[in-house]
mmCIF file of all heavy atoms in Angstrom:
data_model
loop_
_atom_site.group_PDB
_atom_site.id
_atom_site.type_symbol
_atom_site.label_atom_id
_atom_site.label_comp_id
_atom_site.label_asym_id
_atom_site.label_seq_id
_atom_site.Cartn_x
_atom_site.Cartn_y
_atom_site.Cartn_z
ATOM 1 N N ASP A 294 -11.795 24.390 5.834
ATOM 2 C CA ASP A 294 -11.857 25.689 6.509
ATOM 3 C C ASP A 294 -11.765 26.853 5.535
ATOM 4 O O ASP A 294 -12.305 27.936 5.796
ATOM 5 C CB ASP A 294 -10.732 25.800 7.552
ATOM 6 C CG ASP A 294 -10.919 24.860 8.735
ATOM 7 O OD1 ASP A 294 -12.035 24.317 8.883
ATOM 8 O OD2 ASP A 294 -9.954 24.667 9.497
ATOM 9 N N ASN A 295 -11.068 26.642 4.413
ATOM 10 C CA ASN A 295 -10.908 27.709 3.415
ATOM 11 C C ASN A 295 -11.903 27.593 2.262
ATOM 12 O O ASN A 295 -11.729 28.228 1.215
ATOM 13 C CB ASN A 295 -9.472 27.693 2.875
ATOM 14 C CG ASN A 295 -8.469 28.245 3.875
ATOM 15 O OD1 ASN A 295 -8.221 29.445 3.942
ATOM 16 N ND2 ASN A 295 -7.880 27.348 4.676
ATOM 17 N N ASN A 296 -12.943 26.778 2.479
ATOM 18 C CA ASN A 296 -14.056 26.640 1.522
ATOM 19 C C ASN A 296 -13.620 26.201 0.126
ATOM 20 O O ASN A 296 -14.277 26.522 -0.873
ATOM 21 C CB ASN A 296 -14.836 27.964 1.430
ATOM 22 C CG ASN A 296 -15.471 28.344 2.753
ATOM 23 O OD1 ASN A 296 -16.042 27.491 3.438
ATOM 24 N ND2 ASN A 296 -15.328 29.605 3.141
ATOM 25 N N ILE A 297 -12.517 25.474 0.045
ATOM 26 C CA ILE A 297 -12.112 24.906 -1.240
ATOM 27 C C ILE A 297 -12.918 23.646 -1.521
ATOM 28 O O ILE A 297 -13.256 23.345 -2.658
ATOM 29 C CB ILE A 297 -10.595 24.625 -1.251
ATOM 30 C CG1 ILE A 297 -9.842 25.966 -1.249
ATOM 31 C CG2 ILE A 297 -10.172 23.776 -2.452
ATOM 32 C CD1 ILE A 297 -8.350 25.857 -1.130
ATOM 33 N N ILE A 298 -13.258 22.918 -0.461
ATOM 34 C CA ILE A 298 -14.165 21.775 -0.577
ATOM 35 C C ILE A 298 -15.180 21.855 0.546
ATOM 36 O O ILE A 298 -14.972 22.537 1.552
ATOM 37 C CB ILE A 298 -13.401 20.426 -0.484
ATOM 38 C CG1 ILE A 298 -12.649 20.323 0.852
ATOM 39 C CG2 ILE A 298 -12.475 20.235 -1.658
ATOM 40 C CD1 ILE A 298 -12.064 18.948 1.130
ATOM 41 N N SER A 299 -16.291 21.164 0.375
ATOM 42 C CA SER A 299 -17.295 21.115 1.438
ATOM 43 C C SER A 299 -16.856 20.101 2.490
ATOM 44 O O SER A 299 -16.049 19.208 2.219
ATOM 45 C CB SER A 299 -18.658 20.722 0.873
ATOM 46 O OG SER A 299 -18.569 19.460 0.232
ATOM 47 N N LYS A 300 -17.379 20.246 3.676
ATOM 48 C CA LYS A 300 -17.016 19.356 4.780
ATOM 49 C C LYS A 300 -17.408 17.921 4.436
ATOM 50 O O LYS A 300 -18.495 17.682 3.904
ATOM 51 C CB LYS A 300 -17.703 19.814 6.058
ATOM 52 C CG LYS A 300 -17.007 19.335 7.328
ATOM 53 C CD LYS A 300 -17.525 20.091 8.530
ATOM 54 C CE LYS A 300 -16.836 19.673 9.817
ATOM 55 N NZ LYS A 300 -15.388 19.916 9.817
ATOM 56 N N HIS A 301 -16.498 17.002 4.714
ATOM 57 C CA HIS A 301 -16.695 15.564 4.493
ATOM 58 C C HIS A 301 -16.724 15.168 3.016
ATOM 59 O O HIS A 301 -17.108 14.026 2.703
ATOM 60 C CB HIS A 301 -17.982 15.055 5.176
ATOM 61 C CG HIS A 301 -18.058 15.375 6.639
ATOM 62 N ND1 HIS A 301 -17.042 15.033 7.526
ATOM 63 C CD2 HIS A 301 -19.019 16.020 7.364
ATOM 64 C CE1 HIS A 301 -17.387 15.448 8.740
ATOM 65 N NE2 HIS A 301 -18.568 16.041 8.678
ATOM 66 N N TYR A 302 -16.345 16.085 2.118
ATOM 67 C CA TYR A 302 -16.281 15.696 0.698
ATOM 68 C C TYR A 302 -15.185 14.661 0.474
ATOM 69 O O TYR A 302 -15.305 13.766 -0.348
ATOM 70 C CB TYR A 302 -16.026 16.924 -0.188
ATOM 71 C CG TYR A 302 -15.961 16.579 -1.662
ATOM 72 C CD1 TYR A 302 -17.108 16.149 -2.335
ATOM 73 C CD2 TYR A 302 -14.765 16.660 -2.377
ATOM 74 C CE1 TYR A 302 -17.059 15.821 -3.682
ATOM 75 C CE2 TYR A 302 -14.714 16.326 -3.719
ATOM 76 C CZ TYR A 302 -15.860 15.913 -4.367
ATOM 77 O OH TYR A 302 -15.814 15.568 -5.695
ATOM 78 N N ILE A 303 -14.092 14.786 1.229
ATOM 79 C CA ILE A 303 -13.001 13.811 1.163
ATOM 80 C C ILE A 303 -13.037 12.951 2.415
ATOM 81 O O ILE A 303 -13.030 13.457 3.532
ATOM 82 C CB ILE A 303 -11.627 14.506 1.052
ATOM 83 C CG1 ILE A 303 -11.542 15.383 -0.190
ATOM 84 C CG2 ILE A 303 -10.510 13.464 1.021
ATOM 85 C CD1 ILE A 303 -10.267 16.208 -0.283
ATOM 86 N N ASP A 304 -13.076 11.666 2.216
ATOM 87 C CA ASP A 304 -13.156 10.703 3.321
ATOM 88 C C ASP A 304 -11.868 9.872 3.319
ATOM 89 O O ASP A 304 -11.619 9.098 2.388
ATOM 90 C CB ASP A 304 -14.381 9.806 3.098
ATOM 91 C CG ASP A 304 -14.710 8.954 4.318
ATOM 92 O OD1 ASP A 304 -13.840 8.805 5.192
ATOM 93 O OD2 ASP A 304 -15.844 8.422 4.384
ATOM 94 N N VAL A 305 -11.043 10.042 4.353
ATOM 95 C CA VAL A 305 -9.787 9.290 4.456
ATOM 96 C C VAL A 305 -10.047 7.999 5.218
ATOM 97 O O VAL A 305 -10.547 8.020 6.338
ATOM 98 C CB VAL A 305 -8.688 10.110 5.169
ATOM 99 C CG1 VAL A 305 -7.410 9.278 5.312
ATOM 100 C CG2 VAL A 305 -8.403 11.393 4.400
ATOM 101 N N ARG A 306 -9.701 6.878 4.594
ATOM 102 C CA ARG A 306 -9.868 5.571 5.235
ATOM 103 C C ARG A 306 -8.504 4.946 5.510
ATOM 104 O O ARG A 306 -7.591 5.026 4.691
ATOM 105 C CB ARG A 306 -10.700 4.635 4.356
ATOM 106 C CG ARG A 306 -12.133 5.116 4.140
ATOM 107 C CD ARG A 306 -12.939 5.169 5.432
ATOM 108 N NE ARG A 306 -14.280 5.669 5.211
ATOM 109 C CZ ARG A 306 -15.321 4.886 4.949
ATOM 110 N NH1 ARG A 306 -15.160 3.574 4.889
ATOM 111 N NH2 ARG A 306 -16.506 5.406 4.756
ATOM 112 N N ARG A 307 -8.387 4.310 6.639
ATOM 113 C CA ARG A 307 -7.128 3.733 7.117
ATOM 114 C C ARG A 307 -7.130 2.214 6.931
ATOM 115 O O ARG A 307 -8.019 1.529 7.444
ATOM 116 C CB ARG A 307 -6.965 4.100 8.598
ATOM 117 C CG ARG A 307 -5.765 3.505 9.313
ATOM 118 C CD ARG A 307 -5.812 3.976 10.769
ATOM 119 N NE ARG A 307 -4.869 3.272 11.629
ATOM 120 C CZ ARG A 307 -4.820 3.388 12.949
ATOM 121 N NH1 ARG A 307 -5.686 4.198 13.557
ATOM 122 N NH2 ARG A 307 -3.940 2.714 13.666
ATOM 123 N N GLY A 308 -6.167 1.720 6.161
ATOM 124 C CA GLY A 308 -6.032 0.282 6.001
ATOM 125 C C GLY A 308 -5.627 -0.362 7.310
ATOM 126 O O GLY A 308 -5.417 0.313 8.317
ATOM 127 N N ALA A 309 -5.487 -1.698 7.292
ATOM 128 C CA ALA A 309 -5.187 -2.384 8.551
ATOM 129 C C ALA A 309 -4.224 -3.553 8.357
ATOM 130 O O ALA A 309 -4.260 -4.513 9.106
ATOM 131 C CB ALA A 309 -6.485 -2.862 9.195
ATOM 132 N N GLY A 310 -3.360 -3.436 7.351
ATOM 133 C CA GLY A 310 -2.349 -4.459 7.157
ATOM 134 C C GLY A 310 -2.830 -5.597 6.289
ATOM 135 O O GLY A 310 -2.977 -6.727 6.760
ATOM 136 N N ALA A 311 -3.110 -5.306 5.005
ATOM 137 C CA ALA A 311 -3.534 -6.343 4.056
ATOM 138 C C ALA A 311 -3.072 -5.933 2.666
ATOM 139 O O ALA A 311 -3.664 -5.040 2.055
ATOM 140 C CB ALA A 311 -5.044 -6.534 4.090
ATOM 141 N N TYR A 312 -2.040 -6.586 2.170
ATOM 142 C CA TYR A 312 -1.495 -6.295 0.831
ATOM 143 C C TYR A 312 -2.558 -6.413 -0.256
ATOM 144 O O TYR A 312 -2.560 -5.646 -1.220
ATOM 145 C CB TYR A 312 -0.341 -7.257 0.557
ATOM 146 C CG TYR A 312 0.133 -7.343 -0.875
ATOM 147 C CD1 TYR A 312 0.945 -6.348 -1.430
ATOM 148 C CD2 TYR A 312 -0.192 -8.440 -1.662
ATOM 149 C CE1 TYR A 312 1.405 -6.440 -2.732
ATOM 150 C CE2 TYR A 312 0.267 -8.548 -2.972
ATOM 151 C CZ TYR A 312 1.062 -7.545 -3.505
ATOM 152 O OH TYR A 312 1.523 -7.646 -4.803
#
Side-chain angles (χ1 to χ4, degrees):
D294 292 346
N295 286 273
N296 297 317
I297 291 175
I298 59 170
S299 58
K300 203 166 181 61
H301 306 306
Y302 180 68
I303 301 174
D304 191 343
V305 178
R306 296 296 178 92
R307 176 181 169 188
Y312 166 77

